[in-house]
Amino acid sequence: MKNSRKLKFFILYSIWCFVSLAGLQVRAADMDISPTDSVERELQKTLGRKLEFEKVKLMEIFDLKSQLKLNTMPEQRYDVLMSIYQAYRPYQIDSAIYYVSEARKIAEELKDDDKENEVAINLAGLYSSAGRFIEANDMLKNIRRSGIPDYQLVDYYRAYSDFYSHYGQSTNHYQYFSQSEIYRDSLLNVLPKDSEEYRISAATRALFSLDYDKAERQLLQLLNEYKEPHPKRAVIAYFLGLLHKNKGNREKEIYYLGLSAITDIKNTVKDNASLQSLALVYFEKNDIDKAYLFIQQAMEDALFCNVRFRTIENSSFYPIINSAFQDKETARKNQLKTFLYIISIMAVLLLLALAVLYRQMKKLNKTRQDLKALNSELQGLNGELLKVNQDLQEANHIKEEYMAQFFELCSAYIDKLDNTRKGILKKISNKQFDDLNKELKSQDFINTELNDLYHNFDVIFLNLYPTFIQEFNKLLKPEEQLHLKPDELLNSELRIFALIRLGISDSTKIARFLRYSLRTVYNYRVKVRNKVLGSKEDFDEQIKAIGNLKF
């Protein structure tokens, strides 16, 4: 009896050690609470609606192209072509160049000098953004300054200022930035002082002249005047973010860059700098997830729009952030594997403890029956009866002590067993041994624990791959897609392929983890593979690719 007691203590002590180890490794997610939380959340929501805003933009362009088909007069076609150019300008540079070039043909056909100057100035600006600096420079040089009417001087000086700014960003030569500022001054001289462009340009000049107080005052006034989603808010908020970056106020920098990015996304502006700047700020804060999200978006926008100088800027930061993100993802996967190993070990130990408990309860039940028989046979032997009673009391004491320690240790592993422990202790106290024996023979207890294990697996897996179900269904034929019940996180088929996504492709291992037969796992895999939309041979590789970001 003493050896049995030592064995029970050893098993329970082992479970306690593993439970304690798991508890030390579980950590609460970090919560970075700051005054910019609302803007960060709004930016996340806006990014989720990016395609929705882009559809509106494409419908606008489609309507303009429809008008182009209806207009046959050169002057009307010219106006529509320029409208299409304006729609494409912040969205897709190559398309904008195409439609300005078409408008240029009409201007040359009409021999209208003003129109020729207009398309030349706009085309030079597009070439500059696309990194075609030689063509942009030639285009601007071919425009006779003396032949430009006063109302076109604004576009002319702006084009030159942007040209030198873009060239400076591509070559990183300060002299070109200085030349850009000279043309900005010329632009300010011809702009009406009450115009929005004058006020923004004046605030920008104050910012780059390091007159931060004046620049902030002017920019804040402008920001209050333009309400969401006015496109100018993006420019104004970006300069405010740049201002606070120079002042070292990171929280305000994130706040205003976030506002700028939100406005750009809502207006489908692919030529933007806010997302790249946000990525760098979050990288400096060591928030790798957000840094990676924003640099991905910035790179996609720059490549789509074909803004060369932004692509070059993003390319210089993308490998660094991407490398840090991949390292973090690897660490997360390793941590998940560790948790799974610990849970598996604890489950095995728990099953072992339950088996030992079941055997002990059978022994106790047999002892009780033997004692009843001895009591009826040896009624006259008080000495022997006393000894039997003492043995029974000792057995009950051992049983009660064992049960109390077992359920107390189990409560440290999972709170849900607490009610079970209390119920068992109550039955022991009432000596309801038959009911207790019946309850312990039931498989419901083990099934409940297995269900909890699978539920915890589902929760952990879906936290790591929140879009797994949607992306998995995209790989299947529409009529064969899987639909979960309201109370399900994953079903049996999805759980098998979730393990494959985690790198567990061996059907034997999958069957052992899910407690299925090897044939059942094989049938599930074959059944789902027959529903695949594309190539069946690449299906497992496509499953393993689920969860990588694409923006």
Side-chain angles (χ1 to χ4, degrees), residues 482-519:
L482 302 180
H483 301 284
L484 297 173
K485 297 178 181 178
D487 59 342
E488 284 185 326
L489 295 176
L490 295 176
N491 58 22
S492 298
E493 292 167 300
L494 286 172
R495 202 170 288 126
I496 289 172
F497 288 94
L499 289 171
I500 292 175
R501 177 60 187 87
L502 293 174
I504 305 174
S505 300
D506 187 1
S507 294
T508 302
K509 293 182 180 179
I510 295 173
R512 185 163 57 250
F513 179 79
L514 298 178
R515 298 177 68 86
Y516 295 156
S517 68
L518 184 61
R519 186 171 190 82

Side-chain angles (χ1 to χ4, degrees), residues 45-58:
K45 293 179 183 177
T46 306
L47 281 171
R49 299 176 58 197
K50 190 175 181 182
L51 290 178
E52 176 184 334
F53 297 123
E54 194 158 348
K55 287 180 181 178
V56 174
K57 182 72 172 181
L58 292 174

Side-chain angles (χ1 to χ4, degrees), residues 53-118:
F53 297 123
E54 194 158 348
K55 287 180 181 178
V56 174
K57 182 72 172 181
L58 292 174
M59 285 301 300
E60 174 193 347
I61 294 173
F62 177 80
D63 290 341
L64 289 171
K65 290 180 179 180
S66 299
Q67 293 179 29
L68 186 63
K69 295 178 181 179
L70 297 175
N71 289 287
T72 57
M73 299 298 294
E75 292 83 358
Q76 294 174 341
R77 290 182 61 80
Y78 177 86
D79 292 338
V80 176
L81 285 168
M82 293 305 290
S83 296
I84 297 175
Y85 146 73
Q86 291 292 345
Y88 268 121
R89 174 65 184 83
Y91 180 65
Q92 220 286 327
I93 294 293
D94 291 340
S95 296
I97 290 173
Y98 171 79
Y99 284 100
V100 172
S101 299
E102 292 298 305
R104 186 183 186 187
K105 295 176 183 178
I106 295 177
E108 291 173 350
E109 178 185 331
L110 295 173
K111 296 182 180 180
D112 188 321
D113 292 340
D114 290 349
K115 284 184 172 56
E116 289 185 21
N117 287 335
E118 181 182 20

Side-chain angles (χ1 to χ4, degrees), residues 27-45:
R27 300 179 301 173
D30 294 331
M31 297 183 66
D32 186 11
I33 301 174
S34 69
T36 61
D37 278 349
S38 60
V39 171
E40 290 177 343
R41 288 194 295 269
E42 180 63 24
L43 178 55
Q44 294 281 356
K45 293 179 183 177

Side-chain angles (χ1 to χ4, degrees), residues 183-200:
Y183 277 102
R184 190 195 306 280
D185 291 339
S186 299
L187 175 63
L188 287 169
N189 288 333
V190 297
L191 281 170
K193 297 191 182 306
D194 59 346
S195 67
E196 65 179 29
E197 186 171 0
Y198 177 87
R199 296 169 66 196
I200 295 175

